Amino acid sequence: MIAVFDVDGTLVDTNYHHAVAWFRAFRRVGVTVPVWRIHRSIGMGGDRLVAAVAGDEVEAEHGDRVRELWASAFAPMLTEVTLLAGARDLLLAFRERGDTVVLASSGKPEHIDHYLDLLDARSIVQAWTTAEDVDASKPAADLLEVALDKVKGDGDEVVTIGDSVWDCQAAERLGVPTVGVRTGGFGTEELVEAGAAVVYEDLPEVQANLDKLPTARPKR
């Protein structure tokens, strides 16, 4: 089996840092977007987020600049990022069962490097993705496809683990189930409506139910 993990909000506690960083970036170009609205789009790639929360006109006029400003605003927060409870233990639990573990993230490469160090995960996971691997981010399924390609995952049973509605929608497009976790601030009902097969409160609860997780072969 292949376990495909989202990273931000699933393994590392970053969703609210990102929301604040985006808020500050928008303010720098004279646009005010409520932080709650930004949070609802965290997990979606930065290539989509500006238009999603502020509209196509803001994207056309300020999109690239806002993304630059977001990166600058988030950078000082990187040292504040902590692991979510049970993150490394869950990765290890999959590996100890003989499963393949891959991280599917559209985060900046330097962020993913930092998270891999925090997790001490380079000896646990077989592969990972970053923003440099795809043009279309979640909720498109491209990132998951690239992650599976990195571990030659054709024909294997797959489960994805993620915290956002965008994770669920991407997995549904690929025809594989998502185990949702509430660690990113999304509610159970909205994760289920987005396609989650099951939702757990946190990663230790996922580990406690490891033998019950749904899997499927992707539609490729």
Side-chain angles (χ1 to χ4, degrees):
M1 183 179 80
I2 301 175
V4 183
F5 279 84
D6 173 60
V7 179
D8 282 286
T10 301
L11 296 173
V12 293
D13 193 8
T14 55
N15 281 14
Y16 295 96
H17 299 74
H18 282 304
V20 170
W22 281 111
F23 172 80
R24 291 173 178 170
F26 280 114
R27 291 281 287 176
R28 288 281 301 278
V29 298
V31 177
T32 299
V33 181
V35 179
W36 72 264
R37 187 179 299 280
I38 296 170
H39 173 256
R40 309 321 294 165
S41 292
I42 296 299
M44 176 188 293
D47 57 318
R48 299 171 181 266
L49 186 143
V50 175
V53 303
D56 292 336
E57 186 175 332
V58 173
E59 167 60 40
E61 187 173 354
H62 300 294
D64 289 341
R65 180 60 178 153
V66 170
R67 281 180 281 274
E68 290 174 5
L69 291 167
W70 158 77
S72 297
F74 182 74
M77 302 183 197
L78 197 58
T79 57
E80 301 174 4
V81 171
T82 58
L83 299 182
L84 284 157
R88 191 169 193 276
D89 288 343
L90 183 56
L91 297 179
L92 281 169
F94 275 107
R95 283 306 308 274
E96 287 168 359
R97 293 183 351 146
D99 298 323
T100 297
V101 180
V102 57
L103 309 185
S105 172
S106 59
K108 294 174 74 66
E110 59 269 31
H111 296 170
I112 302 306
D113 281 341
H114 183 69
Y115 303 151
L116 286 166
D117 290 341
L118 275 180
L119 287 158
D120 191 18
R122 296 175 196 276
S123 61
I124 304 174
V125 304
Q126 278 91 338
W128 56 86
T129 67
T130 73
E132 293 186 346
D133 288 304
V134 290
D135 293 323
S137 60
K138 298 172 187 174
D142 301 33
L143 198 65
L144 300 180
E145 292 178 333
V146 169
L148 292 176
D149 287 342
K150 283 177 176 273
V151 293
K152 299 179 172 58
D154 285 333
D156 288 298
E157 293 285 325
V158 175
V159 62
T160 67
I161 298 93
D163 69 286
S164 76
V165 295
W166 319 110
D167 298 320
C168 300
Q169 290 175 9
E172 192 167 51
R173 286 187 170 95
L174 195 58
V176 296
T178 298
V179 173
V181 287
R182 296 191 57 212
T183 48
F186 290 85
T188 298
E189 286 187 11
E190 58 190 331
L191 291 170
V192 170
E193 287 177 4
V198 62
V199 178
Y200 293 117
E201 188 73 11
D202 54 23
L203 299 177
E205 192 174 357
V206 175
Q207 187 169 344
N209 290 278
L210 212 55
D211 294 332
K212 303 177 188 176
L213 300 186
T215 63
R217 287 185 173 86
K219 296 182 295 189
R220 304 263 279 177

